[in-house]
Amino acid sequence: MILVFLGAPGCGKGTIAKIFEEKLNFCHISTGDLIRNAISSNKELGEMLKQIISNGNLVSDEIVLKLLNEKLKDCSSNLILDGFPRNLLQAQKLDEMIKIDKVVYIDTPYDIIKERLVGRRTCENCGKVYNLDIYNSNTCSCGGKLVQREDDTPHIIEKRFKVYEKETMPLVQYYQNQGKLLKVESNSSSNDTFKSILNMLEVK
Ligand code: AP5
Ligand code: MG
């Protein structure tokens, strides 16, 4: 099954995709993670990408598609795309590349998103994601240091949300027209949201 997780920054795309990965063996591809990995591994390209994402703008379609195509080679039939597509052109390109089964639209109000992103911490060592709301420590269970993402400041969160509304929101209608959209509210726990998605997908 090939799924797209669509939703605003902080709606829980990454957290829920990880649950699918752990419990159901899905291959999880986050284009945000691919870009952050490229920043750490490619000095020349990295500086330019860092400027773009720390300002809350979108990276060029060409670069994102290149990173995605490389990563797709590692994945087989059960796949979640998290953070891709993010605009109409990316959605059209994806339709030429792959047949998507369903698009899970995680609808979350802005005030919840803002709170979640300000409290998000990520392990420098293993990448595990936490929230200060429920985990008040600077150290991951693996012993790594928890850090805040550079784009998780109030000003950049607002910018990212505006970019989301302008560039990505039109995809809700795009996939609705294709009959692929499943909408889930994400104001409950991530495990409950996971269960609601499973029910909608009719996965036992
Ligand atoms: P990306 O990394 O994809 O960021 P994003 O879309 O802004 O989404 P986030 O990762 O911030 O949020 P999420 O929905 O994954 O939430 P999470 O599960 O972590 O992209 C970063 C940047 O890369 C972009 O701004 C852009 O520059 C570039 N980029 C990426 N893809 C691109 C593309 N296709 N084209 C162009 N540029 C691209 O959860 C957030 C927090 O909330 C966590 O602390 C978590 O613990 C907590 N939480 C989650 N769910 C719940 C819940 N149900 N209840 C309580 N807490 C919860
Ligand atoms: Mg994410």
Side-chain angles (χ1 to χ4, degrees):
M1 189 184 302
I2 298 181
L3 303 176
V4 166
F5 279 7
L6 180 66
C11 70
K13 301 181 293 297
T15 303
I16 296 158
K18 276 275 164 288
I19 305 178
F20 270 82
E21 191 177 35
E22 283 161 18
K23 298 201 168 167
L24 300 171
N25 232 359
F26 268 74
C27 180
H28 167 211
I29 301 184
S30 150
T31 43
D33 288 346
L34 295 181
I35 294 164
R36 283 181 288 276
N37 289 343
I39 291 175
S40 334
S41 61
N42 184 328
K43 223 173 171 208
E44 233 168 89
L45 183 67
E47 203 40 54
M48 186 265 284
L49 293 176
K50 193 169 181 219
Q51 283 294 325
I52 298 171
I53 76 166
S54 52
N55 283 307
N57 292 311
L58 294 186
V59 169
S60 77
D61 298 325
E62 194 191 348
I63 292 177
V64 177
L65 277 158
K66 188 166 178 280
L67 292 171
L68 176 68
N69 268 315
E70 280 165 16
K71 186 71 187 172
L72 276 175
K73 291 177 199 149
D74 302 338
C75 290
S76 54
S77 49
N78 278 340
L79 170 68
I80 291 174
L81 292 172
D82 154 9
F84 186 95
R86 236 168 166 107
N87 59 30
L88 274 173
L89 188 125
Q90 290 182 9
Q92 286 157 354
K93 289 274 178 209
L94 186 62
D95 280 342
E96 291 166 16
M97 286 156 62
I98 221 167
K99 187 186 164 291
I100 300 160
D101 293 297
K102 291 287 175 199
V103 174
V104 178
Y105 167 43
I106 308 171
D107 191 19
T108 319
Y110 181 62
D111 52 343
I112 293 186
I113 280 167
K114 215 167 127 185
E115 223 172 273
R116 284 185 186 169
L117 289 180
V118 169
R120 172 167 58 188
R121 296 294 181 270
T122 310
C123 176
E124 247 181 1
N125 180 41
C126 71
K128 189 166 175 187
V129 173
Y130 292 87
N131 203 284
L132 289 183
D133 215 23
I134 45 173
Y135 188 83
N136 202 355
S137 162
N138 291 325
T139 312
C140 176
S141 55
C142 78
K145 188 176 159 211
L146 298 186
V147 293
Q148 186 170 27
R149 257 171 57 174
E150 262 189 50
D151 56 350
D152 279 348
T153 59
H155 175 64
I156 301 298
I157 291 169
E158 198 181 329
K159 171 78 184 293
R160 285 159 63 202
F161 193 76
K162 284 191 176 140
V163 170
Y164 165 76
E165 283 187 309
K166 181 166 180 273
E167 300 287 337
T168 314
M169 277 290 270
L171 298 186
V172 172
Q173 191 60 52
Y174 180 84
Y175 287 118
Q176 181 95 59
N177 293 346
Q178 290 191 0
K180 292 184 177 169
L181 199 80
L182 298 175
K183 182 175 162 183
V184 63
E185 315 275 339
S186 160
N187 37 22
S188 52
S189 74
S190 45
N191 262 317
D192 284 350
T193 310
F194 166 69
K195 284 179 198 152
S196 307
I197 296 172
L198 283 189
N199 279 336
M200 288 192 306
L201 292 170
E202 294 173 1
V203 175
K204 298 278 177 277

